[in-house]
Amino acid sequence: MTFAGEVKNAVTVRAALLVVGVLALQLLFIASYVGALHRPDATDVPFGVVAPRQMSQQLVTRLDGLPGGPLDPRAVSDAAEAQKKVMNRDLDGALIVDPQGTTDTLLVASGGGTVLANTLGKIIEQAEAPQHRTVRTVDVAPASPDDFNGLSSFYLVVGWCVGGYLCASILAISAGAKPANRQRALIRTGVMALYSIAGGIGGAIVIGPILGALPGSLWGLAGLGALIVFAVGMITLALEALTGIVGIGLAVLIIVVAGNPSAGGAFPLPMLPEFWRAIGPALPPGAGTWTARSIAYFRGNAVTGPLLVLSAWAVVGTALTLLLSLRRGPDQEGPWAATAVSTSEPLR
């Protein structure tokens, strides 16, 4: 057999296409992570200003005009309202001006991201210095000392996402090339649900009682984890039902390549470029990281939107998986199986 013939036997057209797809994922991975994280800059950070009426608007205008536009300031009625808005995650920080002295108070919440809290401190100190004023920082939702840079919630969610698409991938390929018919789809959905519950509880126990890295409700985190694992797992099963083995790559593209760098983990959303800031809240890693931090540090505030996002992924994934399975009878196999059988050769 010629060398060209050997190459043709060793690398089929299907294998070549899959390798090209893997190369594309690799390059997209590099572009996404480096593009999102190589130069974090605070931009339009929601920020409150509490000051006497005669100087409030002037201060808002001055902060709004800082070089690079790091803040999106707005006037707040009083200190109590400012703290409430920070705890509700409507604001990432607030400056409370003392009209009787020269030391103002900066409210931050390092539980929402230590890097952002520190960045706000530097921005306000530089803005106040020309006015001969100093700043006292008060952390109203401090990150746990065992939660370095507030990253534990992000890594917890990444672990849940990885478990979701790996479990779904194993379920899909466990029967070889056989696609999901109605019975297999129902069984895989049930197994995915049980695995999600175990993964959610297990992750919450590891991050809380065992490592002590993240405070907050154990069962709240466990429920969140189960939803994340199930949502990621079911959308992976749906993509596999729709496109075959390519679906695994598509799941990696959505969850890992697009979702992880835009999740607000290493750098909170206001420090990410516009594109990643826009897509992050709509993807499971971003919605999960926001909710985990809210449960741990913000008394469970501001979680309705992210939970609806995760629920939508779970519902869409489940519906697609079951609907696509109706196209096949109980023993019908798809084109991947036929290809695998027709190209097999006896061993020599």
Side-chain angles (χ1 to χ4, degrees):
M1 183 178 293
T2 64
F3 178 74
E6 289 287 358
V7 171
K8 186 176 180 180
N9 281 343
V11 183
T12 64
V13 173
R14 178 190 174 199
L17 291 174
L18 290 174
V19 168
V20 171
V22 170
L23 176 61
L25 276 179
Q26 172 186 304
L27 297 179
L28 286 170
F29 182 97
I30 295 170
S32 183
Y33 277 71
V34 177
L37 308 176
H38 77 289
R39 194 178 64 186
D41 291 315
T43 307
D44 292 331
V45 179
F47 191 79
V49 173
V50 179
R53 181 173 301 177
Q54 61 270 23
M55 64 180 299
S56 177
Q57 189 55 49
Q58 180 182 0
L59 181 56
V60 167
T61 301
R62 180 159 61 86
L63 293 177
D64 192 38
L66 291 176
L71 303 179
D72 178 16
R74 70 287 307 264
V76 180
S77 59
D78 54 42
E81 182 67 14
Q83 181 168 343
K84 179 181 178 181
K85 286 182 175 294
V86 173
M87 288 302 299
N88 286 339
R89 309 196 74 179
D90 297 322
L91 299 174
D92 288 310
L95 179 65
I96 302 171
V97 175
D98 180 4
Q100 307 299 323
T102 60
T103 300
D104 300 330
T105 300
L106 172 66
L107 303 183
V108 297
S110 62
T114 304
V115 176
L116 179 58
N118 293 338
T119 299
L120 285 177
K122 294 176 182 178
I123 291 171
I124 297 303
E125 286 176 3
Q126 293 174 1
E128 291 275 80
Q131 309 300 317
H132 306 290
R133 303 186 70 85
T134 58
V135 178
R136 178 180 68 95
T137 300
V138 176
D139 196 341
V140 299
S144 165
D146 296 317
D147 181 12
F148 177 73
N149 275 354
L151 289 173
S152 295
S153 54
F154 171 61
Y155 290 130
L156 174 64
V157 171
V158 168
W160 279 328
C161 289
V162 169
Y165 67 71
L166 285 182
C167 178
S169 300
I170 291 171
L171 289 174
I173 66 175
S174 60
K178 294 180 179 179
N181 55 32
R182 184 171 59 255
Q183 290 80 3
R184 292 190 199 114
L186 289 172
I187 292 170
R188 290 171 185 175
T189 301
V191 171
M192 196 71 243
L194 293 175
Y195 175 86
S196 300
I197 294 171
I201 295 173
I205 291 174
V206 169
I207 204 75
I210 294 179
L211 297 179
L214 206 63
S217 167
L218 173 67
W219 292 110
L221 288 173
L224 171 65
L227 179 57
I228 292 172
V229 175
F230 188 73
V232 172
M234 292 312 299
I235 204 67
T236 302
L237 285 175
L239 291 171
E240 290 166 345
L242 189 63
T243 64
I245 195 172
V246 176
I248 298 176
L250 294 177
V252 171
L253 177 64
I254 294 171
I255 305 301
V256 179
V257 175
N260 286 353
S262 65
F267 300 108
L269 290 176
M271 302 189 73
L272 297 179
E274 185 175 353
F275 172 76
W276 285 269
R277 189 190 310 189
I279 68 172
L283 299 175
T289 299
W290 176 279
T291 306
R293 283 176 172 162
S294 288
I295 292 172
Y297 299 116
F298 295 91
R299 304 169 189 167
N301 293 327
V303 299
T304 302
L307 288 177
L308 288 175
V309 168
L310 292 169
S311 299
W313 282 98
V315 170
V316 170
T318 302
L320 282 176
T321 299
L322 297 178
L323 287 173
L324 290 170
S325 71
L326 297 178
R327 299 183 305 176
R328 303 184 177 95
D331 298 316
Q332 186 180 353
E333 297 184 356
W336 294 112
T339 302
V341 172
S342 65
T343 57
S344 62
E345 294 182 3
L347 295 176
R348 292 181 173 85

